[in-house]
Amino acid sequence: MSWTDQLCVRSVLCMALATRTDRRPSFARTVWDSTVGKKTVMAVSGLIMLLYLVVHMIGNLKIFFGAGEFDHYAHWLRTVGEPFMHYEWTLWLVRVVLVAAVVAHAVSAYQLSRRDIRARPGKYAHRKARASYATRTMRWGGIILGLFIVWHILDLTTGTVHPGFRHGHPYRNVVDTFSTWYGNVVYIVAMLALGLHVRHGFWSAAQTLGVGSRTRDRALKTLANVLALLLTVGFIAVPVAVMTGVVS
Amino acid sequence: MKLTLRVWRQRNADADGTMSTYEVDGISPDMSFLEMLDTLNEELIVKGEDPVAFDHDCREGICGACSLVINGDAHGPERTTTCQLHMRSFKDGDTIDVEPWRASAFPVIKDLVVDRSAFDRIIQAGGYITAPTGAAPEAHATPVPKPDADLAFEHAECIGCGACVAACPNGAAMLFTSAKINHLNVLPQGAPERETRVLDMVEQMDEEGFGGCTLAGECATACPKGIPLMSITSMNKEWLRAARKVKR
Ligand code: HEM
Ligand code: SF4
Ligand code: FES
């Protein structure tokens, strides 16, 4: 018997504690049922999407090197990993992971937000706006991003909402989208929302995962700002280039 | 000083409350906020009206009994407890809004008094050590490194007032719970229950109906004892470590 167990035998409290310990549910259950755990799901899924977005943004910049290079890059995405992977296998693998991340992120966000609103039903008569700024921008920004993701796929992947969409000609399709005023507005608003979301989200994720600390705080905040700015500017560069005729 | 007070009046837990307006005169800038309310109550009693119910005990900033959201700020405009807030922080002729802590987990009992027993149950879930302590041990028997002692002390300063919950847009009790967990988890005396403590206290916190953390940071701004926001980061880290480690 270890010395802690010996102490336990003498302590009623500890025996109660021991019984509690025996009934612990699985790791997955513990995570999903806890506010702290569910926030971890948000952080991990958020970081997966963030990683993808950085790669996606860099890929998009190929549009500045002409239709040949851009369309070739789009085709290459379907052949990544060959000959080990079959045509489009890698692409579908990435898609499955991303859909899982989006769903996990959105479901956790919804459940946590519901809980938060229930926990604080009454408003103070004396209002202070600052209190919920970050929370509000995360929720509204998240909803905007969710809607944008759906629209974006229907516009440039499936072409469902894109009149004159041509499969296998992404350069043409992109120029097409950004030649309409609503295409530009939807895209630019969503990218500004993305910047705000990443700015608070990246730093938050570090706190949720317990890697933040007093000495690292400034570096993490700077990194969050740099990432947010880079993503927003990098993504918005494409519609701006089409609008100004740099890309046509 | 002459002041106009708008005070939350609520007959009992089930009644609807409203903000009622009172005038108080002859307030000295050297009075504490609670002494100012005492003055109001003396007048109300003389007039045969029901005095305003509010919590208080030590009146020296150490017990955590006093509360009140004053002009939208938990414990008022200074970083201190309401009992240590002086009327010199206000101007003659000011209108001051006085409200109770607002959170589902802290239901109003009467006027400005809320039921904070949810905090007691969080402590009962693991905010103690199980070793039989007996008389004070010899101080050098268990060496504690100075940085750990300082960290434990910083967290031990939490007086359990609940201002963090009152200020949080999500009615979350993360700052309180993290202070209590970190206080014991950094010390050798707290080591035997390091994992069960964090898992059980967080579980109880969720069960009480507190919200989750969105890292708005309002709690740390409101805390009269300066418990840092990073305390929550440390708790998240402890929780993730424990969730992975505890055997099932
Ligand atoms: C489906 C669309 C989305 C919705 C509905 C959504 C919603 C939210 C909400 C409400 C939060 C705050 C949660 C809280 O603080 O409790 C959040 C956090 C976060 N989001 Fe999103 N979001 C979406 C898309 C994205 C995208 C595309 C990214 C990738 C950059 C992302 C990255 C993050 C990160 C890293 C966090 C921080 C997690 C944490 O605080 O630990 N989100 N999201
Ligand atoms: S963390 Fe600060 S605000 Fe919260 S209960 Fe403790 S002393 Fe009060
Ligand atoms: S009355 Fe004890 S802290 Fe204010």
Side-chain angles (χ1 to χ4, degrees):
Chain A
M1 223 196 261
S2 74
W3 70 273
T4 49
D5 290 338
Q6 285 177 17
L7 285 180
C8 268
V9 172
R10 280 185 274 142
S11 154
V12 177
L13 271 177
C14 197
M15 285 163 78
L17 210 72
T19 2
R20 256 187 113 128
T21 319
D22 294 339
R23 282 188 285 103
R24 296 246 177 245
S26 69
F27 178 70
R29 252 271 78 85
T30 310
V31 167
W32 192 248
D33 286 348
S34 160
T35 50
V36 174
K38 205 163 275 175
K39 198 73 197 297
T40 317
V41 174
M42 293 215 66
V44 172
S45 55
L47 291 177
I48 290 173
M49 292 189 280
L50 183 60
L51 181 70
Y52 168 77
L53 288 178
V54 172
V55 175
H56 186 22
M57 189 269 288
I58 295 171
N60 284 358
L61 295 180
K62 301 233 163 27
I63 202 150
F64 288 102
F65 303 103
E69 181 157 347
F70 191 70
D71 289 353
H72 176 69
Y73 160 70
H75 180 74
W76 170 81
L77 287 178
R78 282 149 182 84
T79 60
V80 183
E82 282 184 12
F84 179 69
M85 299 296 256
H86 183 68
Y87 181 75
E88 283 199 349
W89 274 15
T90 312
L91 187 65
W92 276 104
L93 191 72
V94 172
R95 284 172 175 169
V96 168
V97 171
L98 282 176
V99 168
V102 171
V103 170
H105 197 81
V107 171
S108 313
Y110 173 76
Q111 292 184 353
L112 286 172
S113 299
R114 281 272 318 254
R115 190 190 165 87
D116 295 345
I117 292 163
R118 238 182 297 131
R120 178 68 181 280
K123 296 250 180 301
Y124 289 110
H126 195 109
R127 298 268 180 98
K128 292 246 156 160
R130 62 168 159 71
S132 51
Y133 175 75
T135 307
R136 255 183 311 149
T137 50
M138 285 312 266
R139 288 188 193 146
W140 283 108
I143 291 167
I144 291 173
L145 288 175
L147 294 174
F148 172 75
I149 291 169
V150 174
W151 181 81
H152 190 57
I153 291 172
L154 296 180
D155 178 32
L156 287 170
T157 307
T158 65
T160 317
V161 296
H162 190 137
F165 180 84
R166 297 220 352 235
H167 275 282
H169 296 275
Y171 187 91
R172 245 197 66 138
N173 294 332
V174 169
V175 172
D176 214 30
T177 284
F178 295 131
S179 304
T180 63
W181 67 266
Y182 57 87
N184 287 310
V185 170
V186 170
Y187 195 87
I188 291 172
V189 167
M191 291 310 105
L192 293 174
L194 176 71
L196 289 175
H197 202 80
V198 168
R199 188 166 177 260
H200 183 70
F202 181 77
W203 176 82
S204 294
Q207 312 312 316
T208 302
L209 298 175
V211 297
S213 75
R214 259 173 268 205
T215 45
R216 270 187 227 141
D217 204 45
R218 187 186 281 264
L220 281 169
K221 281 197 170 125
T222 309
L223 191 56
N225 287 339
V226 168
L227 268 173
L229 200 69
L230 220 63
L231 280 176
T232 309
V233 171
F235 277 124
I236 289 183
V238 178
V240 168
V242 175
M243 274 192 278
T244 54
V246 174
V247 167
S248 59
Chain B
M1 291 169 83
K2 187 171 154 70
L3 299 165
T4 306
L5 297 174
R6 299 204 310 144
V7 183
W8 182 261
R9 299 304 309 261
Q10 182 173 338
R11 203 162 273 288
N12 57 50
D14 303 320
D16 289 333
T18 50
M19 298 292 277
S20 302
T21 307
Y22 302 95
E23 306 279 336
V24 278
D25 204 350
I27 300 299
S28 147
D30 295 332
M31 279 183 177
S32 76
F33 200 86
L34 297 186
E35 284 166 334
M36 183 276 292
L37 287 179
D38 291 338
T39 310
L40 169 68
N41 276 347
E42 278 164 16
E43 285 172 21
L44 290 179
I45 291 166
V46 168
K47 280 195 258 174
E49 288 179 38
D50 195 20
V52 178
F54 61 89
D55 263 325
H56 62 104
D57 188 17
C58 70
R59 296 208 177 194
E60 54 185 24
I62 56 169
C63 75
C66 61
S67 53
L68 309 186
V69 169
I70 301 162
N71 284 344
D73 288 318
H75 291 301
E78 315 278 340
R79 171 167 276 198
T80 186
T81 54
T82 297
C83 59
Q84 292 294 297
L85 175 69
H86 291 89
M87 296 314 292
R88 52 180 163 271
S89 301
F90 301 89
K91 290 194 306 289
D92 186 36
D94 272 1
T95 299
I96 307 174
D97 289 337
V98 190
E99 300 173 71
W101 286 172
R102 291 223 179 275
S104 307
F106 284 170
V108 172
I109 298 171
K110 183 175 170 33
D111 298 339
L112 303 170
V113 179
V114 299
D115 179 358
R116 282 172 283 187
S117 57
F119 270 12
D120 298 341
R121 290 185 292 274
I122 293 175
I123 295 292
Q124 281 161 12
Y128 50 79
I129 63 165
T130 49
T133 48
E138 208 277 315
H140 293 296
T142 314
V144 179
K146 174 76 166 128
D148 290 357
D150 286 347
L151 203 59
F153 192 77
E154 184 178 24
H155 292 301
E157 279 193 63
C158 167
I159 53 175
C161 63
C164 43
V165 176
C168 176
N170 311 318
M174 300 278 283
L175 196 67
F176 164 78
T177 310
S178 66
K180 297 302 176 193
I181 289 168
N182 295 329
H183 160 208
L184 295 173
N185 273 23
V186 299
L187 292 173
Q189 289 87 343
E193 308 86 14
R194 182 171 168 191
E195 290 85 21
T196 51
R197 173 175 303 115
V198 59
L199 293 177
D200 291 340
M201 288 177 77
V202 167
E203 189 183 334
Q204 189 64 38
M205 176 186 87
D206 287 347
E207 252 168 50
E208 296 294 343
F210 290 107
C213 183
T214 50
L215 291 146
E218 290 299 321
C219 53
T221 307
C223 176
K225 297 296 159 180
I227 304 294
L229 188 59
M230 287 292 159
S231 182
I232 295 176
T233 310
S234 308
M235 173 174 77
N236 291 338
K237 190 176 179 178
E238 284 293 297
W239 190 91
L240 283 170
R241 180 186 167 278
R244 269 181 278 128
K245 201 167 172 234
V246 160
K247 55 177 186 296
R248 271 159 229 110

